[in-house]
Amino acid sequence: MTKNWHLYEVFIRSKNGLAHKHAGSVHAQDAETAVLSARDLYTRRGEASSLWIMKSADIIASDPGEVGELFDPADDKIYRHPTFYTVPDGVKNM
Amino acid sequence: MNIAENYIGATTPSSPKTAYMLRLADNALILGQRLSEMCGHAPEMELDLALTNISLDLIGQAKLLFEHILTLEDLAPNADVLALTRPQDQYTNLLLVAQPNVDFAHIVLRQYLFSTMQKIQYEALLGSSDKTLAAIAEKSLKEIAYHIRFAKSWVLRLGDGTPESSERMADALDCLWRFTGEMFERDNIIEQAEVSGLSTDFTSSYEDWQMEVKDGLAEAGGLVAPEVGQMIMGGHKGQHDEHLGHILSDMQFMQLRHPGLQW
């Protein structure tokens, strides 16, 4: 891998109305080739109707060392889960 | 002993219509096979997938064409026999598509030169008197648009890149340009295809194609197509250079060794 290649993250939307989901990453020299490579690597079997690409370096991530203070307080608050509803039969993408 | 003699099941087309389609099929098949050699050998994993994707697109186009040809004329018991068992002089592909994968510059330039022509050639089939052929062309054109986008972006990048990359692009252009005249060559088969309404005349777009490609090359760090005294031709008549033979020895081996082999 030469120094000219950057790492990009690939997000795929499978169909209109759904959200883009992280699919993986590709190496590329620039935005244009990143789109082409992502198309070749992640949409070969009809997975996508749209692609988002971003430089991995641009991701701002939470600190793994702060997992406790960030996420643990949500563990014991079951009343925040929407489990007290019944979902009508016809609804597909909840 | 000629191993092929016992197994050859394909006969040459008797109608200009199937002969013309066989050219289209052979171009797609041979370039697809050539690109498949890069599986596991491209400079990066991403490019490996890109090249083999294009290869599969082309082999898919060839398969549709071979199968359609067989519904029109009984040249072989099935598409595998037609595609994979003919002797070399019965392949009517362009010389360009059999040229070797010398380096990545050769690969992307060959693709750029071929796909930009193939786009014009297939657009001339959209109003074909043969509805199946028109449908195959329409489907293929989407793939071709992507092949051009991929190849052109790499021609630009390498031509306008480092001293080494632009030198390699210039070498590839010196080597491959002499095969481009054949792509627009007129002969009896193509004239009859036009008369019968199978295809409109795409060869008259030769100058437009040259202008488009030369513009693209100029943009790629000022690449200039060499002056070629005599374009090299012969593929349409089955007169090939040594490169096709090497492709066929790989491509035909299994079908000749195990006739009727099915996946």
Side-chain angles (χ1 to χ4, degrees), chain B residues 78-133:
Chain B
N78 60 53
D80 280 344
V81 172
L82 181 57
L84 303 174
T85 71
R86 281 172 287 153
Q88 176 167 312
D89 61 3
Q90 284 182 26
Y91 283 84
T92 53
N93 54 279
L94 299 163
L95 298 176
L96 176 70
V97 297
Q99 295 308 302
N101 302 323
V102 176
D103 59 14
F104 193 64
H106 273 75
I107 293 169
V108 294
L109 181 67
R110 183 184 60 207
Q111 197 66 45
Y112 179 53
L113 297 174
F114 175 74
S115 295
T116 45
M117 181 284 298
Q118 198 193 18
K119 175 170 182 280
I120 300 170
Q121 188 179 37
Y122 277 40
E123 280 170 353
L125 300 172
L126 289 176
S128 176
S129 54
D130 183 324
K131 295 301 167 217
T132 306
L133 183 62

Side-chain angles (χ1 to χ4, degrees), chain A:
Chain A
M1 189 66 59
T2 65
K3 61 183 178 348
N4 296 326
W5 290 62
H6 309 288
L7 193 62
Y8 290 82
E9 298 302 317
V10 180
F11 299 82
I12 289 177
R13 181 169 68 188
S14 54
K15 58 182 177 180
N16 286 335
L18 297 184
H20 285 76
K21 282 190 177 163
H22 187 235
S25 54
V26 288
H27 292 98
Q29 308 82 39
D30 55 30
E32 163 72 7
T33 41
V35 173
L36 297 185
S37 294
R39 178 263 191 194
D40 287 334
L41 259 77
Y42 293 108
T43 71
R44 288 153 45 83
R45 300 176 185 86
E47 295 95 331
S49 68
S50 166
L51 281 174
W52 281 357
I53 313 287
M54 67 179 292
K55 275 195 172 172
S56 309
D58 289 341
I59 290 179
I60 300 158
S62 61
D63 183 347
E66 296 172 350
V67 165
E69 60 189 87
L70 287 176
F71 308 120
D72 282 358
D75 279 352
D76 57 356
K77 299 183 174 61
I78 59 158
Y79 48 86
R80 289 180 179 169
H81 292 270
T83 49
F84 306 101
Y85 300 94
T86 47
V87 179
D89 287 343
V91 176
K92 281 173 186 149
N93 297 314
M94 275 289 278

Side-chain angles (χ1 to χ4, degrees), chain B residues 186-206:
Chain B
R186 293 191 65 76
D187 66 357
N188 184 37
I189 299 282
I190 194 158
E191 274 162 19
Q192 299 220 36
E194 290 163 17
V195 170
S196 69
L198 190 70
S199 170
T200 55
D201 176 16
F202 82 94
T203 57
S204 58
S205 302
Y206 187 20

